Amino acid sequence: MALDPQLLDILACPDTHHAPLTYDADAQTLTCTECGRIFEVRDDIPVLLLDEARPAAGGAA
């Protein structure tokens, strides 16, 4: 099952900038458009915890 498009419209990074997230259905991840943090989607539930996010590809998070 994929994430609901309406849910994707309202999800935002939990950091103070609250930037939108982009969804990668194949990788089951959400990526912040500002800081680049990568959040996992487990069992169709976004895990938007800063402590569990992976840093941006460049390591800037």
Side-chain angles (χ1 to χ4, degrees):
M1 181 188 298
L3 289 180
D4 184 328
Q6 290 180 328
L7 176 63
L8 290 172
D9 285 343
I10 61 172
L11 287 178
C13 183
D15 204 348
T16 56
H17 51 260
H18 305 293
L21 302 170
T22 57
Y23 178 52
D24 182 338
D26 293 332
Q28 288 294 291
T29 58
L30 293 160
T31 303
C32 177
T33 57
E34 186 168 320
C35 69
R37 283 187 181 99
I38 301 167
F39 300 92
E40 288 188 31
V41 178
R42 297 184 196 140
D43 298 321
D44 296 321
I45 300 169
V47 181
L48 298 179
L49 300 171
L50 291 174
D51 290 343
E52 292 196 26
R54 294 191 310 243

